[in-house]
Amino acid sequence: MQIGKYKLSFIESGNFRLDGGAMFGIIPKPLWQKTNPPDEVNRIKLSTCHLILQSDSKKIIIDTGMGNKWDEKMKNIYAIDENTSMNFALGKIGLEPDDITDVLLTHLHFDHTGGSTVKVNGKLQPAFPNAKYYVQKQNFEWAMNPSDRDKGSYIQENFFPLFEEGVLNFINGNEQFDDEIDFIVINGHTFGQQMVKISDGNNTFLFCSDLMPFVSHIPLPYIMGYDLQPLVTLEEKKKYLKIALDENWKLFFGHDPEIAFATVKKFGEGYTVDKKLRSFDEI
Ligand SMILES: [Zn+2]
């Protein structure tokens, strides 16, 4: 898929599991378990999915997944699948970590920036050695000083070494990265999360990140229990789902194990999924 100067690809770097009730907030289990079946301890499967954008001069990745710095206890809690990895996923499209020039981080939760650093001989260093990393300044500041409620999601070894190395670049608000790429700030899930919009005027993709991790989060009340400001998430969903409908945006879901993209349609006062697409070949 070509958008302006960029060729877009889709990769999946791994999967893990989180509590199904936490993933769907107030929604009763008989409803969410139809689309996201739980295991014996009520966990549902999440993928870590990424868009890769390649031009003549840049190779960009959005988010870096869970990474491989987990101990056995955490691997068991989150059912982290070690059979998949970022290097393997990149290899499938002919890339290596050294090739990546820019890493766009939507936010610094461990499932979005865990793969940003690696431990080599006991020392933490950037996993993409030739890349500049980008995150909202507001999210970095929150990540360095989170609340007691969400501090388990911000693990400093996943992002502070980037700052120390001088490769972490701060974005302030809704900035344009270049002709095709825009950052859109949202604050319901955490403070200073950024979605990534990629458009050439004809086709528009929105990397929704944790505004809607699964396609099953499109209906308005389907909001994660993890969100710090769920009513803000609700307003953000109303705003961006309306634009997605009016302008026929393709939404990219960062955690859906089955669906890569979807378009939306009106359903009563809210929205529902229209077309589900598993790959760029189906567009
Ligand atoms: Zn998150």
Side-chain angles (χ1 to χ4, degrees):
M1 181 86 206
Q2 193 74 27
I3 301 269
K5 62 180 171 290
Y6 290 112
K7 181 177 149 240
L8 267 62
S9 327
F10 156 67
I11 63 167
E12 197 179 328
S13 65
N15 53 71
F16 65 109
R17 287 178 178 270
L18 291 175
D19 184 80
M23 284 301 292
F24 287 101
I26 59 141
I27 304 301
K29 185 172 179 179
L31 297 180
W32 61 252
Q33 72 177 1
K34 286 191 267 186
T35 51
N36 300 79
D39 66 9
E40 66 285 356
V41 287
N42 211 46
R43 298 174 304 184
I44 59 175
K45 185 175 176 183
L46 288 84
S47 292
T48 46
C49 308
H50 316 270
L51 282 176
I52 307 285
L53 288 71
Q54 299 186 65
S55 70
D56 290 343
S57 59
K58 284 186 178 294
K59 294 186 180 3
I60 301 173
I61 186 168
I62 303 179
D63 282 344
T64 63
M66 296 286 278
N68 57 9
K69 302 187 296 296
W70 297 94
D71 62 26
E72 286 306 314
K73 181 183 166 195
M74 298 305 254
K75 274 186 211 162
N76 286 330
I77 289 174
Y78 296 120
I80 298 168
D81 179 3
E82 293 221 292
N83 293 319
T84 48
S85 76
M86 176 60 80
N87 291 11
F88 180 74
L90 285 172
K92 284 212 268 191
I93 57 167
L95 294 177
E96 296 179 2
D98 286 12
D99 297 323
I100 300 296
T101 57
D102 301 88
V103 179
L104 310 184
L105 297 169
T106 60
H107 61 306
L108 299 173
H109 280 167
F110 61 68
D111 51 327
H112 294 261
T113 194
S116 292
T117 60
V118 285
K119 208 174 248 179
V120 180
N121 298 327
K123 187 179 179 305
L124 289 161
Q125 56 190 56
F128 301 95
N130 299 316
K132 291 179 178 170
Y133 293 68
Y134 298 85
V135 73
Q136 288 285 326
K137 184 163 188 270
Q138 185 190 7
N139 189 246
F140 177 77
E141 286 171 351
W142 183 261
M144 290 302 293
N145 197 12
S147 73
D148 288 331
R149 182 166 182 260
D150 66 333
K151 67 182 179 190
S153 300
Y154 287 110
I155 303 172
Q156 287 196 9
E157 66 174 10
N158 293 330
F159 53 86
F160 194 65
L162 307 174
F163 178 75
E164 287 181 310
E165 285 286 322
V167 295
L168 188 59
N169 295 264
F170 293 131
I171 310 287
N172 293 293
N174 290 344
E175 286 186 17
Q176 190 169 25
F177 183 74
D178 66 10
D179 286 346
E180 288 85 4
I181 300 172
D182 283 277
F183 296 117
I184 299 175
V185 177
I186 49 174
N187 292 299
H189 175 61
T190 183
F191 296 99
Q193 181 179 202
Q194 56 186 359
M195 300 191 288
V196 184
K197 180 165 83 87
I198 305 137
S199 181
D200 60 4
N202 294 318
N203 281 298
T204 300
F205 285 85
L206 182 70
F207 189 94
C208 298
S209 194
D210 280 350
L211 179 68
M212 294 177 283
F214 299 142
V215 72
S216 47
H217 284 107
I218 291 174
L220 293 174
Y222 283 60
I223 291 170
M224 287 191 283
Y226 298 110
D227 286 16
L228 297 181
Q229 306 189 92
L231 293 179
V232 174
T233 301
L234 178 64
E235 292 309 311
E236 291 165 346
K237 285 180 72 176
K238 284 182 184 172
K239 177 175 178 180
Y240 291 106
L241 284 166
K242 180 175 189 324
I243 302 174
L245 177 71
D246 291 346
E247 300 184 6
N248 194 32
W249 289 5
K250 285 154 197 87
L251 304 178
F252 183 89
F253 298 91
H255 289 307
D256 201 302
E258 309 289 338
I259 306 298
F261 316 101
T263 55
V264 296
K265 63 183 178 188
K266 212 60 197 141
F267 183 73
E269 297 291 298
Y271 302 89
T272 190
V273 61
D274 186 13
K275 289 197 198 79
K276 297 178 185 173
L277 306 153
R278 280 163 210 275
S279 75
F280 284 112
D281 302 336
E282 297 180 13
I283 291 171

